[in-house]
Amino acid sequence: MLEHPLPSLRWGIIGTGLISSWFVEDLILDRPNKVANHIIQAIGGSSLQKAQVFFEKYPSGNNVSVYGSYKELYEDPNVDIVYIGTPHALHKTNCLDAIRAGKHVLCEKAFTLNSAEAEEVIAEAERQGVFVMEAMWTRFMPLVEKLRELLHQEKAIGDIHRASCDFSLPMDLSSFPSTSRLKNPALGAGSLLDIGIYSLTWVILAMETNFGHEQPKILASQVIRDEIDIATTAILTYSHGKQGVVTASLSTTSPSSFCRIEGAKGFVIVDGPAASMPQSFTVHVHNQEPVKYEFKAPGRGYYWEADAVALDISANKKGNSVMPLTETIRIMSLMDEIRRQGGAVFPIEETV
Ligand SMILES: NC(=O)C1=CN([C@@H]2O[C@H](COP(=O)(O)OP(=O)(O)OC[C@H]3O[C@@H](n4cnc5c(N)ncnc54)[C@H](OP(=O)(O)O)[C@@H]3O)[C@@H](O)[C@H]2O)C=CC1
Ligand SMILES: O=C1OC[C@@H](O)[C@H](O)[C@H]1O
């Protein structure tokens, strides 16, 4: 019998910072049971020197084109999809430019600064007939798939009543330059879009069998310092008294047990170095021995989202079912509401 070749995707990477390096390192990993081939076709930086340094530090093949502008990368006919690893405030423009050049797009979280920007990007992708997805990589981890199966199909802890998740990462912002994406409000800095988005995602993964079936009410508070939210707390209240508690802070450190999900018959604790990187979870059912599920894999795990994208594009899909575009818009709207109550405003929003 003839074997079908694996789908192949030729990636153009824009932004030569931290996440682009992690993404490239994972994509070029030699790993077992691959479902797609990922080719790093091009690297685009804001200068040729930055792109060259990135390429030399993370060598990803012999035929990689190295560009000193994003525009050149968008115009490269050998690039199928653009991976956007730039600060939040640039995502809208970077997405629109790539999409208008006819490229598929995988854009880092948070997808844009707000839901209006997300809608604009998604509408343009629809018009151009290209694939687009927010790179919320944690959703694609086998751990999350197994956890959701246990919570929502098998009802391992019965009806879920509450979930709480924390992502806190102490940052000495005073030591960062004002140009840092983690400090500069004009680049979309703040606890919510950078790390609170993971806490929000976990609460939604735990509480919602069907994403967006019910829109929770939000009660939120933020601590604003030097024009950015350095801490965010939001309570999501669903009908029948179910609640989710979302926390994020740039002053404290999350516990390794960063998420707790409570149901009528027991609870689940999720562990890992951060809410973005879960490694295990333990199911505690009343009067039974706890059961621990551990997940080990090579690298960091960015290839799962990349594999999903490759399979979707080879099937001619324009969006993904694990991170649907409607869900990206809804997450951005929930964060809009959290910021409306909490007080975080991005400079570009003050002028509209
Ligand atoms: N999924 C995950 O696990 C993670 C996701 N992220 C997300 O990735 C994105 C980028 O974060 P991260 O890699 O940490 O950021 P970095 O600051 O490390 O890198 C961002 C890159 O964007 C480019 N860039 C373009 N314009 C600017 C500008 N005005 N200021 C700063 N950089 C600029 C730069 O590369 P160049 O100049 O060469 O174009 C820069 O190196 C964010 O959306 C963040 O939320 C971040 C960390 C982990
Ligand atoms: O997505 C992220 O996860 C890890 C954090 O270090 C980073 O700031 C954030 O962008």
Side-chain angles (χ1 to χ4, degrees), residues 180-195:
S180 164
R181 75 159 190 96
L182 297 164
K183 181 172 180 169
N184 187 345
L187 292 178
S191 63
L192 179 62
L193 265 64
D194 195 43
I195 52 180

Side-chain angles (χ1 to χ4, degrees), residues 16-19 46 50 70 88 90-91 109 137 181 302:
T16 58
L18 179 72
I19 188 58
S46 55
K50 283 182 87 174
Y70 300 164
H88 307 145
L90 306 182
H91 289 179
K109 43 61 61 180
W137 65 307
R181 75 159 190 96
Y302 291 99

